[in-house]
Amino acid sequence: MAKLVKCFMTLLILNLATKGTVRSGKEIQGKTEWSVTVTNTCVCAQSRIILRCPGFQSVEHINPDILYKQGDDCVLVRGSSLPASASVTFSYAWDPPFIMFPKSSIIAGC
């Protein structure tokens, strides 16, 4: 169990905090566009990946198949499985950038 928790934390913390959110160089309606990449660095597939994102908003449309807001949480890939080593990328436009924290996921395929 500890190995799975470590795997989940590695997935989200490393990828969101170190390389996951970068300026795209574009502006949308006067707001900076940010590109976010989440990569599953775990050896297991993960599903129902939920990020804490209170107050998250964007002037740019975000494909709800990739990320959608549900209260103070954001759901990746509609809760579908993100295979090991797979990535998902989305962009949003707002100032300042939002910091998203991992809340939960379900480890599968291990």
Side-chain angles (χ1 to χ4, degrees):
M1 179 66 166
K3 185 184 232 182
L4 296 179
V5 170
K6 183 179 178 183
C7 191
F8 172 68
M9 296 308 287
T10 299
L11 158 73
L12 292 171
I13 291 175
L14 287 180
N15 286 293
L16 288 175
T18 60
K19 66 172 181 161
T21 303
V22 297
R23 288 179 191 254
S24 71
K26 297 179 187 175
E27 280 196 10
I28 312 284
Q29 297 180 28
K31 305 286 186 186
T32 301
E33 182 186 61
W34 302 92
S35 180
V36 180
T37 300
V38 178
T39 302
N40 183 357
T41 58
C42 185
V43 297
C44 306
Q46 296 191 56
S47 63
R48 295 190 192 164
I49 300 170
I50 309 293
L51 307 175
R52 291 277 304 141
C53 61
F56 178 77
Q57 53 190 320
S58 177
V59 295
E60 178 178 10
H61 173 75
I62 301 169
N63 181 343
D65 290 334
I66 297 173
L67 181 88
Y68 72 91
K69 189 160 170 34
Q70 190 173 40
D72 283 342
D73 297 331
C74 289
V75 180
L76 283 176
V77 294
R78 290 215 179 262
S80 295
S81 181
L82 187 62
S85 301
S87 295
V88 62
T89 301
F90 63 92
S91 295
Y92 70 93
W94 200 257
D95 279 320
F98 286 91
I99 298 174
M100 298 179 186
F101 296 99
K103 181 176 181 180
S104 64
S105 76
I106 295 176
I107 308 290
C110 282

